[in-house]
Amino acid sequence: MEHLGTLALIAVGAALINNFVLHYFVGICPFIGVSRRVDMAFGMGCAVTFVITIAATLSWVFTYYILRPGAPLAVMVSGRADIDLSILNYIVYIFVIASSVQLVEMYVRKFFPTLYKSFGVFLPLITTNCAILFACLEIMKHVSGVSPSEVWGLDKALVLAIAGGVGFMLAIVIMAGIREELELCDVPKCLRGAGITLIVAGILALAFMGFTGVDRSLKELFTPQTDGQVEQLPSEQAALPAAPFGGSTTEQTDS
């Protein structure tokens, strides 16, 4: 149950609370350039989700077994226990992302030629989409350079990648729907184009800030309560002062 709660926290955090586009501001180029129509935005979101999932899976495998300090395959080949190939992380991740994008480009060109033409230059530009590299670096941060008990497994890496891709798709589709409606509005001439688009993106980022605190509620939901922990009444909780830095003010009483 606790492991399931951790996966849920990672998913909600990557998709809503810490959305890659609206929180970390990565992947802005396709977010602005391919959000003119909802169908095109949805296709781009699906393509990015697929690429980020494949890239994250391969990145975790390479990082866990080869690149991190003391990786088992690297130790087996070199015969040294202190070997560290983490300097090759960026090169390997870029190669993995480029290969995944090439696979998606060939598939879309073969089976969805209309969608391929509508993407234009933005489909091969997924290779330089920093949201995908950001996901790979986040996985590296939780696999390399941490204690063995804190190393992420493949399940957590996949949840982060899929949720991050879904969050990107959600943000770009919402943006595309708003921009379609803006074509029917009387936008001031000085704000037409990129100006009103960036303003709407900022308002959308503020709207996603409303999900702040959902992770704390999920953590409390999935955290098992001890026998000595007594649930407080709403009136008692309201009387307690707010704890700094997200700390808990829940009091425990003897059973």
Side-chain angles (χ1 to χ4, degrees):
M1 190 68 176
E2 185 177 356
H3 182 70
L4 182 62
T6 302
L7 297 180
L9 288 174
I10 295 174
V12 173
L16 298 177
I17 303 173
N18 300 322
N19 188 279
F20 288 1
V21 180
L22 301 176
H23 182 81
Y24 294 107
F25 302 107
V26 294
I28 295 295
C29 294
F31 176 71
I32 300 298
V34 197
S35 59
R36 291 185 175 89
R37 298 202 314 269
V38 173
D39 55 347
M40 189 167 62
F42 180 76
M44 175 58 73
C46 293
V48 170
T49 303
F50 179 80
V51 171
I52 200 173
T53 303
I54 298 299
T57 302
L58 296 177
S59 298
W60 182 89
V61 171
F62 284 122
T63 304
Y64 186 85
Y65 290 103
I66 299 175
L67 300 177
R68 69 188 179 106
L73 287 181
V75 171
M76 184 185 303
V77 173
S78 65
R80 295 176 51 188
D82 59 344
I83 188 168
D84 183 3
L85 299 178
S86 58
I87 192 174
L88 301 175
N89 283 333
Y90 281 86
I91 299 176
V92 173
Y93 295 162
I94 292 173
F95 176 78
V96 166
I97 293 171
S99 303
S100 304
V101 172
Q102 187 64 32
L103 176 63
V104 172
E105 184 177 358
M106 291 188 298
Y107 179 82
V108 174
R109 180 190 298 177
K110 175 69 175 178
F111 296 101
F112 303 99
T114 305
L115 185 62
Y116 176 78
K117 292 180 181 178
S118 65
F119 281 158
V121 70
F122 289 101
L123 185 57
L125 280 180
I126 297 179
T127 306
T128 59
N129 188 343
C130 50
I132 303 175
L133 181 60
F134 177 80
C136 296
L137 294 178
E138 280 293 308
I139 293 171
M140 179 198 72
K141 184 175 70 175
H142 291 89
V143 174
S144 178
V146 296
S147 61
S149 61
E150 298 177 351
V151 173
W152 274 16
L154 182 58
D155 52 349
K156 294 182 180 179
L158 281 177
V159 168
L160 174 69
I162 296 174
V166 171
F168 178 87
M169 180 171 60
L170 179 64
I172 196 173
V173 168
I174 293 176
M175 187 65 178
I178 296 175
R179 292 185 69 177
E180 284 187 353
E181 295 296 328
L182 284 176
E183 294 179 358
L184 306 176
C185 300
D186 186 15
V187 180
K189 188 176 181 179
C190 60
L191 293 178
R192 293 175 185 174
I196 190 65
T197 301
L198 293 175
I199 292 175
V200 171
I203 296 174
L204 193 59
L206 290 175
F208 268 68
M209 290 179 63
F211 292 107
T212 304
V214 174
D215 55 342
R216 186 181 305 175
S217 301
L218 284 176
K219 186 175 181 180
E220 293 177 355
L221 178 64
F222 286 100
T223 301
Q225 295 184 353
T226 60
D227 295 336
Q229 186 174 2
V230 179
E231 184 178 0
Q232 292 181 332
L233 297 175
S235 58
E236 295 176 349
Q237 293 178 351
L240 292 175
F245 306 107
S248 176
T249 57
T250 304
E251 297 179 353
Q252 292 185 353
T253 58
D254 296 331
S255 59

